[in-house]
Structures are given as C-alpha cells and as structure tokens.
Amino acid sequence: MHMHKYEKIWLFFGIGSLFVFLAVLGVGAFAQGTQPPSCLTTIDPEKVDQTPPFDKPGLVKTGDNEYQLNIVASAFAYTPNQVEIPKGAKVTINVATKDVIHGFQIAGTNVNMMVEPGYVSSYTQTFDKVGEYVILCNEYCGAGHHLMTAKVKVVE
Ligand code: CUA
C-alpha cells in the first residue's frame, strides 16, 4: 500500500501537532515550577493562627519515624523558632505566612521554598545527619529580613 501525498501531509500535521502539544505541556510544567511547590493547599492568611495545623505550630508525630513540621512565618520570625528532630525522621514540612512573601530554606539541605500568602508550601525531607541547621528567609520581606532565622537540631 502506498501513501498518497495528502496522506503524508496529514501524517506530518499529526506528528507536528503532537510536538506542539508536548511543548505546551513542557512549558506548563516549567511554569508551575516557579509557583510554590504545593500551590494546591490554600489558606486564609488572616486566619493562619486559627487554622489547623498552624493553630498549634511545631513537630507532630504522624507515623513510624514520620513527622509533620508545621511552621508559621511572619515578619520577621518563624514559629516555632527552634525544633528538635530525631535522626532519620522523614518530615513533611508545611509553612504558611501571615503577612508578606517569605522564604524558607534549611541551609545544607534540599529544603528551599517560597512561602506566599494564601498558600501552604510543603516539602518532605529525611534528616539523616545529626547537627544544627539554620533556617533562613531568602525572600526580601522588609527591614528585619536579615534577622529572620530559626534553627533545626537533628539529634540521635
Ligand atoms: Cu522573611 Cu525575608
């Protein structure tokens, strides 16, 4: 069976539109990467203090060696500002801001999130190395930006 010229054209068109589709998908995925990692969970920034789990921020055990760490960011502090995590713990970190955009980076780890008002930013990290880690804000948020730090202690 041989192909007619217009069949080839349509085949070419079909493959072409597949590539266009894939390119759009790729660009879409890339654009999403510039959003907070978890932009699906929304929160009223005015009511962070009353919204669980941020009404009781801190470390919560959720399973065998699994934890949730809920942190409230506000100008210019994190609540709580010191956390002890058992070595080897798998921790899902959730951060919400009460005011402006803040950053949430744990120096020396892969944890590096932008925290936008209205959204809960989440990241899961396993802490395998004992030590002290500094949490810092890497989004300029005002006069006290450089003072906005907290500490994570990974203990045996
Ligand atoms: Cu918060 Cu910079």
Side-chain angles (χ1 to χ4, degrees):
M1 204 173 120
H2 87 280
M3 271 187 175
H4 289 289
K5 197 175 185 180
Y6 72 89
E7 277 180 333
K8 279 188 190 166
I9 290 168
W10 279 106
L11 188 64
F12 182 76
F13 179 74
I15 290 168
S17 46
L18 179 67
F19 275 106
V20 168
F21 176 66
L22 287 176
V24 168
L25 264 189
V27 169
F30 178 75
Q32 269 176 18
T34 64
Q35 291 295 307
S38 162
C39 49
L40 298 172
T41 314
T42 55
I43 187 166
D44 184 344
E46 308 274 305
K47 292 181 184 145
V48 170
D49 284 335
Q50 293 99 279
T51 310
F54 300 102
D55 55 340
K56 290 177 188 131
L59 195 69
V60 185
K61 195 168 172 132
T62 54
D64 193 23
N65 223 9
E66 286 190 28
Y67 295 81
Q68 206 179 70
L69 175 58
N70 304 304
I71 290 189
V72 176
S74 59
F76 302 98
Y78 299 102
T79 310
N81 71 353
Q82 184 153 341
V83 192
E84 276 199 10
I85 295 172
K87 186 190 167 194
K90 189 180 169 192
V91 184
T92 299
I93 303 160
N94 304 309
V95 191
T97 168
K98 295 204 281 186
D99 39 52
V100 296
I101 293 177
H102 294 283
F104 185 92
Q105 179 174 16
I106 306 182
T109 72
N110 290 331
V111 184
N112 188 1
M113 300 189 279
M114 191 200 262
V115 188
E116 282 190 58
Y119 296 104
V120 177
S121 299
S122 301
Y123 191 86
T124 301
Q125 172 80 13
T126 302
F127 292 89
D128 284 325
K129 270 168 83 184
V130 168
E132 274 194 24
Y133 298 85
V134 177
I135 299 172
L136 31 100
C137 180
N138 54 15
E139 296 288 335
Y140 183 75
C141 53
H145 163 71
H146 63 287
L147 301 170
M148 192 165 168
T149 62
K151 208 185 280 176
V152 168
K153 268 186 180 176
V154 180
V155 294
E156 288 280 2

